[in-house]
């Protein structure tokens, strides 16, 4: 799908507030509400807009600690990479999974209640699986910016 300036303006507004009324969006981008509705539907159908979600404050739901983990596998065979990826993706505490180019293979972002919960997760994710060579843990001291917004300008 080729995005024009109207689509990009609509996306910028929706990324700030996906529940913003289409009437307000239409006024902001100078299109009719029905045109905005059609464009949003087209972007959803094309997969440009993947989903609409609520952004939850982890601290307010008892998960105040953000942990970033760099994981190295002992072997980079595709079947082992895929198995590790599936394992990480399936874990509810893992918020983000990145397969990266580096001396590590994966970078994970987790939210946990406390270090006891994190220790249990390390046992589940890294120690019970012999294919994990090593992992390095970084505990976030501050969540200075958390966003999934994409610069569409």
């Amino acid at each position: 799908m080729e995005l024009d300036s109207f689509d990009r303006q609509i996306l910028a507004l929706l990324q700030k507030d996906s529940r913003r009324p289409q009437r307000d969006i239409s006024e902001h981008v100078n299109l009719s509400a029905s045109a905005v509705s059609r464009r949003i539907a087209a972007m959803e159908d094309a997969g440009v807009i993947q989903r609409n979600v609520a952004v939850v404050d982890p601290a307010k739901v008892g998960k105040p600690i953000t942990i970033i983990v760099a994981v190295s596998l002992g072997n980079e065979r595709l079947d082992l990479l895929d198995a590790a990826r599936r394992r990480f993706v399936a874990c509810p505490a893992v918020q983000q999974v990145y397969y990266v180019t580096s001396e590590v293979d994966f970078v994970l972002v987790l939210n946990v209640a406390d270090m006891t919960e994190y220790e249990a997760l390390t046992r589940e994710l890294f120690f019970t699986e012999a294919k994990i060579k090593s992992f390095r843990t970084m505990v976030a001291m501050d969540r200075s910016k958390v966003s999934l917004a994409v610069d569409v300008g």
Side-chain angles (χ1 to χ4, degrees):
M1 174 178 190
E2 192 68 32
L3 300 177
D4 64 17
S5 64
F6 291 114
D7 295 325
R8 291 178 185 283
Q9 289 177 61
I10 292 167
L11 285 172
L13 293 169
L14 289 175
Q15 286 187 106
K16 291 177 185 168
D17 181 4
S18 67
R19 292 175 35 163
R20 185 174 186 161
Q22 291 181 7
R23 176 186 72 259
D24 291 350
I25 295 170
S26 68
E27 291 171 6
H28 192 276
V29 300
N30 295 318
L31 289 173
S32 69
S34 62
V36 167
S37 179
R38 283 193 302 275
R39 286 172 176 269
I40 291 171
M43 288 188 282
E44 289 173 339
D45 290 344
V48 175
I49 299 173
Q50 294 180 341
R51 63 184 181 259
N52 295 295
V53 298
V55 179
V56 175
D57 182 338
K60 295 210 164 97
V61 294
K63 304 286 184 173
I65 301 173
T66 299
I67 296 178
I68 298 99
V69 186
V71 181
S72 297
L73 302 183
N75 186 319
E76 292 188 19
R77 287 188 359 228
L78 287 178
D79 60 327
L80 299 178
L81 286 169
D82 290 340
R85 181 183 296 117
R86 283 191 303 274
R87 182 184 195 94
F88 301 147
V89 167
C91 179
V94 177
Q95 188 180 42
Q96 299 172 53
V97 177
Y98 298 95
Y99 174 50
V100 298
T101 60
S102 174
E103 58 275 352
V104 300
D105 298 300
F106 290 95
V107 174
L108 313 178
V109 178
L110 301 89
N111 290 106
V112 295
D114 53 36
M115 294 309 288
T116 302
E117 180 182 354
Y118 178 62
E119 181 184 6
L121 279 169
T122 63
R123 291 174 186 276
E124 175 188 332
L125 292 174
F126 311 131
F127 291 126
T128 60
E129 186 60 49
K131 294 156 189 78
I132 303 297
K133 177 180 168 186
S134 65
F135 66 96
R136 190 175 74 238
T137 301
M138 294 159 274
V139 178
M141 301 296 287
D142 179 47
R143 292 170 43 99
S144 301
K145 179 179 180 181
V146 177
S147 175
L148 292 177
V150 176
D151 181 4
V152 294

